[in-house]
Amino acid sequence: MMSHPINPCEVVRMLVANGVGRVKMFDADPWAAAALAGTGIQVMLAVPNDQLDHLAADPRRAHHWAERNVSAYLELGVDVRYVAVGNEPFLKSYNGSLINVTFPALKNMQSALDKLGLDVKAVVPLNADVYNSPENNPVPSAGSFRKDIHALMVDIVSYLHMNDAPFVVNIYPFLSLYQNPNFPLNFSFFDGGSKPVYDKGMVYTNVFDANFDTLVWSLRKAGVPDMKIIVGEVGWPTDGDKNANIRYAQKFYDGFLKKMVRNIGTPLRPGWMEVYLFGLIDENQKSVLPGRFERHWGLLTYDGKPKFSMDLSGDGLDNFVGAEVEYLPAQWCVFNKDAKDKYKDLPAAVNYACSNADCTPLGYGSSCNGLSHEGNISYAFNIYFQTMDQDVRACSFGGLAKITTVNASQGGCLFPVQIISASERVVPLRFLPTFFLVLLVAVSVLI
């Protein structure tokens, strides 16, 4: 969900260069999916939440979707392995709006895939809030599926298990920290710096393991103790909150990637794990209702550059290859301090800029939080100017702004120069994707 997407062919080149063996998409956009053809990369396509009602209502619609997307992409040479039916449909914030349609949509999709003779599994990626442990006994062994959806979850996991499909869960240690001010910071990481949790002979030194094994216990109690689990999303944002920064993100990924490469697993499920990192590239148009950090989950910046050193292969080297992109001219839009007679219009101008571009780095605890008043104004004007492809009309604001060729970045606050959007050069606008990919740390397929 980016104003300036990178050409999918370049993204795929980068994935191949980094030895990435699997990717997870959040739709079935042809622009992104077709770029994966012939690469050998295994793919999880997805049906967005707003289509679940449509698919649940009529099995023929699911058949048409599978035929148009899965069958067609397989014929192109895209190695489709899974179809995600929705994404976190049982989030409490949805107020139960998808509870009655998710399971029927899942069954219709798997039936369609089977009738087409495709060896592809339908799954439902779920947030970790579908299970929990009671507050008076917060240990994994006390975990079970949420009371309000318990019967439904038992039906879903039984159906998935019957079809040899995995449980896909999204686990976010960062959110544990974000949602609970008393949560121990070090329990989010993997260096053993926090007080451990003891549970039935098991020792937990980080929240990821504890959360994952709470799911294992929930599956045991639901009658499917050996069900395969895939972690569909895990990661750490780098901006938009006091705990969303490069330092913490790098600490999280350093520990997590070492854990994955060594095939440590969790106390209840030791060994290799299938885990997708969320996400690949920052998304400057994603909703910020859950928090300003939502636009900053990417391992890569908006222009496809690694935010910090990463070792996906486990060889101890910082060898991640970024994307190659073209930039707009090196110019910025900044506050024109000489327009003193127009200062009364500043609040409206800044509000307009930030309503149409991404000003989340200006928030409390974020990377540009330390700017001066004038710096904040310049940041807002510039990010709008760049989002509008440096159109000279986007750097006017009634005379309050001006264009400069002097880099306006200050300290740790980057005033970006936007890239040339692939959508403007390659495909019709109707194919603009809600596209972002998620990396899989699959040690067995990495170089």
Side-chain angles (χ1 to χ4, degrees), residues 116-137:
L116 288 167
L118 306 177
D119 186 19
V120 176
K121 302 300 181 183
V123 297
V124 181
L126 294 163
N127 189 276
D129 76 344
V130 299
Y131 53 88
N132 53 37
S133 297
E135 290 185 7
N136 62 356
N137 190 24

Side-chain angles (χ1 to χ4, degrees), residues 204-328:
Y204 294 92
T205 59
N206 64 82
V207 69
F208 176 86
D209 286 356
N211 192 307
F212 188 98
D213 281 1
T214 303
L215 171 58
V216 174
W217 275 105
S218 301
L219 292 171
R220 287 181 179 180
K221 295 173 184 178
V224 286
D226 58 342
M227 187 170 186
K228 180 182 176 181
I229 299 172
I230 292 176
V231 178
E233 298 177 24
V234 65
W236 198 283
T238 55
D239 212 342
D241 181 72
K242 64 178 182 179
N243 292 314
N245 54 59
I246 296 292
R247 182 165 66 93
Y248 283 172
Q250 184 165 18
K251 182 177 181 179
F252 175 82
Y253 278 114
D254 280 351
F256 188 77
L257 292 174
K258 288 176 183 176
K259 177 182 175 68
M260 293 298 105
V261 168
R262 295 170 183 169
N263 294 328
I264 295 173
T266 70
L268 291 181
R269 290 279 184 96
W272 183 83
M273 301 178 74
E274 188 169 331
V275 176
Y276 292 82
L277 303 182
F278 182 85
L280 186 58
I281 306 170
D282 278 352
E283 303 170 87
N284 66 346
Q285 293 187 331
K286 193 177 181 186
S287 170
V288 294
L289 286 177
R292 291 187 297 269
F293 55 83
E294 282 292 339
R295 294 179 175 174
H296 305 281
W297 287 103
L299 287 168
L300 311 178
T301 53
Y302 73 100
D303 53 353
K305 300 297 184 286
K307 294 179 179 178
F308 45 82
S309 61
M310 283 179 284
D311 176 20
L312 293 181
S313 62
D315 59 13
L317 300 176
D318 172 19
N319 52 10
F320 194 93
V321 178
E324 295 180 4
V325 298
E326 294 180 53
Y327 294 87
L328 295 173

Side-chain angles (χ1 to χ4, degrees), residues 332-347 349-350 372-383 385 394-404 406 408 410 415:
W332 295 261
C333 179
V334 297
F335 175 39
N336 179 13
K337 291 181 284 188
D338 295 331
K340 295 181 179 179
D341 58 322
K342 302 180 184 299
Y343 277 16
K344 66 180 187 304
D345 299 325
L346 271 173
V350 171
S372 65
H373 179 63
E374 293 177 356
N376 275 276
I377 297 169
S378 289
Y379 186 93
F381 287 172
N382 182 67
I383 201 66
F385 175 62
C395 189
S396 172
F397 295 98
L400 286 167
K402 62 181 181 180
I403 295 174
T404 179
V406 178
Q410 303 177 33
F415 282 54

Side-chain angles (χ1 to χ4, degrees), residues 21 45 54 62 69-70 89 91 132 167 169 171-172 178 217 257 294 296 312 319 406 426 445:
L45 301 175
H54 179 77
N69 294 291
V70 185
L91 280 176
N132 53 37
F167 190 106
V169 62
I171 299 176
Y172 284 108
Y178 178 76
W217 275 105
L257 292 174
E294 282 292 339
H296 305 281
L312 293 181
N319 52 10
V406 178
V426 181
V445 300

Side-chain angles (χ1 to χ4, degrees), residues 153-175:
M153 285 303 305
V154 171
D155 288 343
I156 288 176
V157 298
S158 298
Y159 180 81
L160 290 170
H161 192 255
M162 178 181 70
N163 286 282
D164 197 29
F167 190 106
V168 180
V169 62
N170 301 337
I171 299 176
Y172 284 108
F174 169 80
L175 293 181

